[in-house]
Amino acid sequence: MNVKINDFDALIVVDMQKDFMPGGALPVADGDKIVPKMNEYIKLFSEKGNPVYFTRDWHPENHISFKGHGGIWPSHCVQDTEGAKFHDDLLIPSDNKFIISKGDSRDFDAYSGFQGTILNDLLKERGIKRIFVGGLATDYCVKNTMIGGLNLGYQGFLLLDAIKGVNINPDDSEKAIDLMLSKGATAITIENIK
Ligand code: VGL
Ligand code: ZN
């Protein structure tokens, strides 16, 4: 199956931050291994003039998702800390204005890039119809961003070669992928893009 990128396509790069990489506060195994592939997608979209949106987890210090504050996660992606920065090798086009911060108020968490952000407005403004979603983590923010987008009426493509999961249970990523596909997402790899 080939997918031809058109003017109404956008790339959404989910949470490619240091804390989700090996050595980070909430590491995703091999999270760093998808950086080169994600960079290929970023190049492809930006060279065609298509927008690329980078989401980031952007929590206050005492965020409710953290252990000790009512949540299950170790403290991660705290605003303005090293761990909240994007991976050093992630290609962020110098003219890119699309950084979407989420989970940035203490009492709300957001696994979806659409939750409590202006992402939907930005996509609407550009007339975007199809979203291509990859990044971290398959079983949390990728899953919820994709499903959020599908629920808003976007056609969704899941970048199978540019996602990695936390897998608290070993099959969490597999289940998340099945769920996204069952809700209408199409799984592709970079070879499918023409
Ligand atoms: C995420 C767990 C907690 C993610 C964010 O980006 O998938 N996972 N916060
Ligand atoms: Zn988080």
Side-chain angles (χ1 to χ4, degrees):
M1 187 245 327
N2 288 339
V3 181
K4 195 175 183 317
I5 300 299
N6 68 47
D7 289 348
F8 310 108
D9 292 339
L11 176 63
I12 301 179
V13 179
V14 177
D15 297 5
M16 295 287 283
Q17 294 164 275
K18 292 187 179 184
D19 269 345
F20 295 126
M21 303 290 168
L26 206 174
V28 176
D30 293 335
D32 54 335
K33 300 271 171 64
I34 63 169
V35 172
K37 189 62 72 178
M38 189 56 86
N39 283 343
E40 287 184 46
Y41 283 106
I42 294 167
K43 258 186 224 149
L44 214 141
F45 276 73
S46 43
E47 281 171 10
K48 285 183 192 286
N50 288 73
V52 180
Y53 301 85
F54 294 85
T55 73
R56 67 180 178 186
D57 227 21
W58 196 245
H59 299 316
E61 227 165 44
N62 51 1
H63 191 246
I64 48 149
S65 78
F66 296 169
K67 283 176 191 154
H69 298 275
I72 62 167
W73 303 112
S75 167
H76 64 279
C77 298
V78 173
Q79 295 167 11
D80 297 309
T81 62
E82 188 64 23
K85 289 184 181 159
F86 292 115
H87 189 288
D88 287 333
D89 298 336
L90 190 70
L91 200 79
I92 302 188
S94 53
D95 57 348
N96 191 288
K97 325 175 271 303
F98 304 129
I99 308 278
I100 309 294
S101 302
K102 61 182 174 59
D104 57 350
S105 53
R106 192 195 63 179
D107 296 324
F108 297 95
D109 201 10
Y111 288 145
S112 163
F114 290 99
Q115 206 179 335
T117 72
I118 59 165
L119 180 56
N120 187 38
D121 305 280
L122 294 175
L123 295 175
K124 285 259 159 64
E125 202 173 273
R126 286 282 289 240
I128 298 300
K129 300 276 186 277
R130 307 195 299 184
I131 55 172
F132 293 68
V133 182
L136 304 172
T138 310
D139 34 0
Y140 294 93
C141 290
V142 170
K143 175 175 94 175
N144 285 277
T145 300
M146 175 61 88
I147 290 173
L150 295 171
N151 287 340
L152 287 164
Y154 297 99
Q155 194 180 339
F157 292 88
L158 178 65
L159 310 180
L160 268 193
D161 50 355
I163 52 175
K164 288 285 176 198
V166 177
N167 291 325
I168 291 180
N169 306 297
D171 58 351
D172 281 352
S173 289
E174 212 176 303
K175 281 188 179 155
I177 293 170
D178 288 347
L179 184 65
M180 290 185 263
L181 300 185
S182 78
K183 293 195 177 289
T186 304
I188 62 165
T189 62
I190 198 131
E191 285 78 30
N192 296 123
I193 296 190
K194 291 290 166 269

